[in-house]
Amino acid sequence: MNYLIIFISAVLVNNIVLMQFLGICPFLGVSKRISTAAGMGAAVTFVMVLATIVTYLVQKLVLQPFDIGYLQTIAFILIIAALVQMVEIILKKVSPSLYQALGIYLPLITTNCTILGVALLAIQKDYNLLEGVVFAFSNSIGFSLALVLFAGIREHLELMEVPSQLKGTPIALITAGILAMAFMGFSGLI
């Protein structure tokens, strides 16, 4: 039951993008096409889950036993950077079209505060390894859900008559705010 609560909470109630405002850069930058948003969501899912596993192990096996917890943020950033490089190399070989579509946003996963934030939150909430993995996977699903929903709305907005003053970023920010308010409706769920 605890895992289900973690899942629902991370996906809907405390959505990492819409409620905690982490990962706004890729949320706004990669959300122009659903295909690109889905690809970014998959890449973030892979990196986030893997980063949470590795950072948890580093925290419990290295940082805590040697009492060097003050190096946590630097160590986690280095781990995430290495994992993103690995994903970039794999995507380049497996799916060159997705690699090209993601463009500059793939290396930006390295500095995506969502990944670092989830890794740090899993440690701060004192989750065990399995709970941390469920937490990371759930947050990545929530990130992907918000990204794909937002991309679908933005694609639809391109077909609509939008006043010239609101075209582009202004209507995107208004839409993101409305989407965040819609997710606030889940706040009483858990």
Side-chain angles (χ1 to χ4, degrees), residues 163-177:
S164 61
Q165 298 86 352
L166 294 178
K167 285 189 182 199
T169 304
I171 195 69
L173 292 173
I174 292 168
T175 305

Side-chain angles (χ1 to χ4, degrees), residues 67-174:
D67 199 27
I68 52 173
Y70 56 89
L71 294 175
Q72 182 185 53
T73 304
I74 302 232
F76 285 14
I77 289 171
L78 291 173
I79 291 166
I80 292 166
L83 291 173
V84 169
Q85 287 298 91
M86 185 178 72
V87 168
E88 191 171 359
I89 291 167
I90 291 170
L91 267 182
K92 199 173 199 177
K93 291 189 185 245
V94 173
S95 180
S97 59
L98 180 57
Y99 175 78
Q100 290 294 333
L102 290 175
I104 188 68
Y105 292 101
L106 188 57
L108 286 179
I109 292 177
T110 304
T111 58
N112 187 342
C113 56
T114 304
I115 304 216
L116 179 61
V118 167
L120 291 171
L121 285 171
I123 299 294
Q124 286 175 359
K125 291 177 183 268
D126 202 27
Y127 286 146
N128 62 36
L129 183 58
L130 187 56
E131 288 172 335
V133 169
V134 169
F135 180 70
F137 180 73
S138 304
N139 273 295
S140 66
I141 295 298
F143 177 84
S144 301
L145 175 67
L147 197 61
V148 169
L149 283 174
F150 190 54
I153 294 170
R154 286 184 78 178
E155 280 187 4
H156 187 71
L157 281 172
E158 287 181 12
L159 304 173
M160 306 298 292
E161 277 292 320
V162 177
S164 61
Q165 298 86 352
L166 294 178
K167 285 189 182 199
T169 304
I171 195 69
L173 292 173
I174 292 168

